[in-house]
Amino acid sequence: MEESKETSVANEKDLKTEQEKKKTSEDSSESQTKKENETTKEESEDKDNTQDEKDSKETDTEEEVTEDNSKKEAAEEEKKTESKKSEGIKEVSEEATKTLEEKTTEAAEKSEEATQTESDKNKEIAVKESEDNYYIGQAAIYYLSNPTGDPWTNDTGAWAPTQETSDVLSNINTKGATWEDGYVGNTVYKNKNIKSNVASYITSWPDSSTGSTWTVKRDNNTTGSYFTFILNSIWDSYKSSVATDLNINVSELDKTHITEITLTPRKISRDNGGTYPYHIDCALSIKSTKIFTAKFWVKNPGESEYNTQVDAKNYLIGSKVKKTTNATIGSTKVVDGVTYVLDGWYPENAAGGACDSTKINQNQWDYDPLPAELADGTVNFYAHYSPTTTSIKLKKLVTGNMGDRTKKFHFTISITKENKNVTFKVGNTPKKVSGR
């Protein structure tokens, strides 16, 4: 029994031992499995890490590739943008060129249109003159740049201001005027000028005044600006002329010496071109505290006015005027078979024009001007041609059936000159006052 017990205990021990071994084996197996699992896990994680690294590298590579592609794309885009800009600039340039060409074309068209308009305007004037023989409208005022110059010249260089720059305008009406030829050297301009009764065709001066002359004064509210403009435009020529005549230095002359300028119209000229093809060409009388001008005028055979200026010179105030040698009193000329003799010199009349009836005696030269003659700054002297012979027609008219056609009649002829009766001849017989 005891042996059986012991056996049973031994068996229990063995069984327990076996169980412990089994358990140990299981634990070992479990531990091994666990280890294997952990190893597998580690390997898996390593693999995952390796894959992640690989993926990361691939991602980096892809990013690098993408970045490179992006750079390429950006470069290409930049190139496209630059190309577009270039094309845009080209388009703008082309557009600008086109616009410039259009503007140039437009300007040319406007210029052509303006030229055409001006041409049409001149044609209208020409047509009006052709149909009606007169012009009503504005005319530009010009004046001698040298006051001692020739007022009949059509040489543009003799006039101020510079050609086609005058905006000093008057109104004219040339109805009934006679147009005469103009001259520049040996060149003749047909029907160029009005030279007779010029002032009668001027309907108003720039300040709306009327009259045969126009006077502008320093610091005058109405004409002061005209005075300044005119004086500035002639000053260089004027002071040069005065300095030469008086043999003085130009520095001795000053604008402040000039107080008034009087414009006397000598001719109206046409076909001058520009905006105002009609000009009023004026002689100047310059009133100065230092200087005066002496002018000698001649009325030629067939003329109604003293139109020919034969001499002009500047003098200091207080000086006497020397008689000109450019025209000889008593000289003759033959026109259309009639002989004329030059008679003069006559001073100004009370109004300052042509002329007083009393001739200046030979012993009055050199001539001492009167204060009234110096009033406008110019002293004028006049001579004219008179015929040495003339012819008259006498006609006896008998009316009615009872008139005696054989009856003798008496005719009385008288010639008065300078308020005096003069001796004349009928045929070769000297007569005085009357004759049959």
Side-chain angles (χ1 to χ4, degrees):
M1 202 70 164
E2 287 180 0
E3 186 178 342
S4 177
K5 252 182 179 178
E6 288 175 1
T7 303
S8 177
V9 169
N11 289 335
E12 287 177 0
K13 286 181 179 179
D14 291 336
L15 180 60
K16 187 176 181 179
T17 300
E18 186 67 27
Q19 289 177 342
E20 287 176 354
K21 285 181 179 180
K22 185 177 180 180
K23 185 178 180 181
T24 299
S25 175
E26 289 175 353
D27 290 339
S28 175
S29 176
E30 183 178 351
S31 176
Q32 181 67 33
T33 302
K34 187 176 181 180
K35 284 181 179 180
E36 289 175 355
N37 289 337
E38 288 176 354
T39 300
T40 302
K41 184 178 180 182
E42 289 176 358
E43 289 176 354
S44 176
E45 288 176 354
D46 289 341
K47 286 180 180 179
D48 290 340
N49 289 336
T50 302
Q51 184 66 36
D52 289 341
E53 288 177 0
K54 185 177 180 181
D55 291 343
S56 176
K57 286 181 180 179
E58 289 177 355
T59 302
D60 290 342
T61 303
E62 289 176 358
E63 288 177 354
E64 288 176 1
V65 171
T66 303
E67 186 176 353
D68 289 341
N69 291 336
S70 296
K71 286 182 179 179
K72 287 180 180 179
E73 290 175 357
E76 290 177 0
E77 187 66 28
E78 187 175 354
K79 284 182 179 179
K80 289 180 180 179
T81 303
E82 288 297 325
S83 177
K84 287 181 178 179
K85 285 183 179 179
S86 178
E87 290 176 359
I89 292 171
K90 185 178 180 182
E91 289 175 0
V92 170
S93 177
E94 289 176 352
E95 185 66 26
T97 302
K98 184 178 179 181
T99 303
L100 181 59
E101 288 175 353
E102 289 175 351
K103 286 183 177 179
T104 303
T105 303
E106 184 178 352
E109 289 175 351
K110 285 184 178 179
S111 176
E112 185 178 352
E113 183 179 346
T115 303
Q116 185 63 37
T117 301
E118 184 63 30
S119 176
D120 290 343
K121 182 179 177 182
N122 290 335
K123 285 179 182 177
E124 288 177 4
I125 293 172
V127 168
K128 185 171 183 180
E129 287 179 346
S130 176
E131 292 176 350
D132 303 329
N133 196 34
Y134 70 92
Y135 164 76
I136 300 174
Q138 291 183 312
I141 293 178
Y142 287 83
Y143 34 84
L144 289 167
S145 57
N146 179 355
T148 61
D150 177 11
W152 302 123
T153 181
N154 287 109
D155 182 0
T156 56
W159 300 92
T162 307
Q163 186 180 13
E164 310 309 337
T165 62
S166 177
D167 56 1
V168 182
L169 306 177
S170 283
N171 291 299
I172 63 173
N173 181 345
T174 67
K175 188 173 184 178
T178 299
W179 292 92
E180 302 180 34
D181 295 345
Y183 302 88
V184 177
N186 294 325
T187 304
V188 179
Y189 294 88
K190 301 296 291 182
N191 300 320
K192 179 71 173 178
N193 304 318
I194 299 173
K195 296 172 63 176
S196 298
N197 302 314
V198 178
S200 66
Y201 302 106
I202 300 172
T203 56
S204 68
W205 293 100
D207 60 352
S208 299
S209 64
T210 57
S212 59
T213 62
W214 183 45
T215 299
V216 294
K217 301 180 179 181
R218 180 186 294 277
D219 300 327
N220 183 274
N221 290 335
T222 304
T223 62
S225 60
Y226 295 114
F227 171 90
T228 301
F229 176 80
I230 293 170
L231 180 58
N232 287 342
S233 65
I234 67 167
W235 178 246
D236 289 340
S237 179
Y238 171 74
K239 68 181 181 180
S240 177
S241 173
V242 169
T244 299
D245 285 344
L246 303 181
N247 195 27
I248 61 174
N249 196 298
V250 292
S251 61
E252 298 180 45
L253 302 172
D254 194 276
K255 288 182 180 179
T256 58
H257 298 157
I258 312 300
T259 59
E260 293 182 10
I261 301 174
T262 298
L263 289 80
T264 302
R266 292 300 179 187
K267 70 176 184 294
I268 294 173
S269 59
R270 62 181 176 182
D271 301 329
N272 294 293
T275 305
Y276 302 101
Y278 283 80
H279 294 176
I280 301 172
D281 298 329
C282 299
L284 296 181
S285 294
I286 298 178
K287 186 175 182 179
S288 168
T289 58
K290 302 289 185 183
I291 311 295
F292 74 92
T293 304
K295 296 181 179 181
F296 291 81
W297 301 90
V298 169
K299 180 168 67 175
N300 285 301
E303 294 182 344
S304 60
E305 297 181 31
Y306 294 83
N307 286 330
T308 303
Q309 179 180 297
V310 296
D311 200 4
K313 188 176 180 180
N314 295 298
Y315 291 86
L316 287 170
I317 297 291
S319 300
K320 291 184 177 182
V321 178
K322 294 183 177 298
K323 185 169 66 171
T324 182
T325 58
N326 291 350
T328 303
I329 300 301
S331 62
T332 61
K333 64 169 54 177
V334 178
V335 178
D336 296 331
V338 179
T339 301
Y340 295 84
V341 60
L342 186 61
D343 181 28
W345 295 96
Y346 295 84
E348 298 176 358
N349 59 25
C355 59
D356 190 75
S357 59
T358 303
K359 191 189 313 186
I360 300 171
N361 292 327
Q362 181 60 36
N363 62 4
Q364 289 180 276
W365 295 99
D366 297 340
Y367 183 81
D368 191 8
L370 300 173
E373 294 172 323
L374 293 167
D376 63 355
T378 301
V379 180
N380 294 293
F381 302 92
Y382 302 93
H384 52 262
Y385 281 92
S386 299
T388 58
T389 61
T390 188
S391 60
I392 58 173
K393 290 183 178 181
L394 301 177
K395 184 177 181 180
K396 181 173 68 173
L397 182 61
V398 179
T399 60
N401 294 328
M402 302 301 292
D404 186 356
R405 297 176 183 273
T406 62
K407 184 178 179 180
K408 293 183 177 181
F409 288 82
H410 291 273
F411 298 91
T412 300
I413 303 170
S414 65
I415 297 177
T416 303
K417 187 175 182 180
E418 298 178 11
N419 297 319
K420 297 177 182 179
N421 292 325
V422 297
T423 300
F424 62 94
K425 293 181 179 181
V426 176
N428 293 320
T429 306
K431 300 290 182 181
K432 186 171 183 178
V433 182
S434 64
R436 179 176 292 179

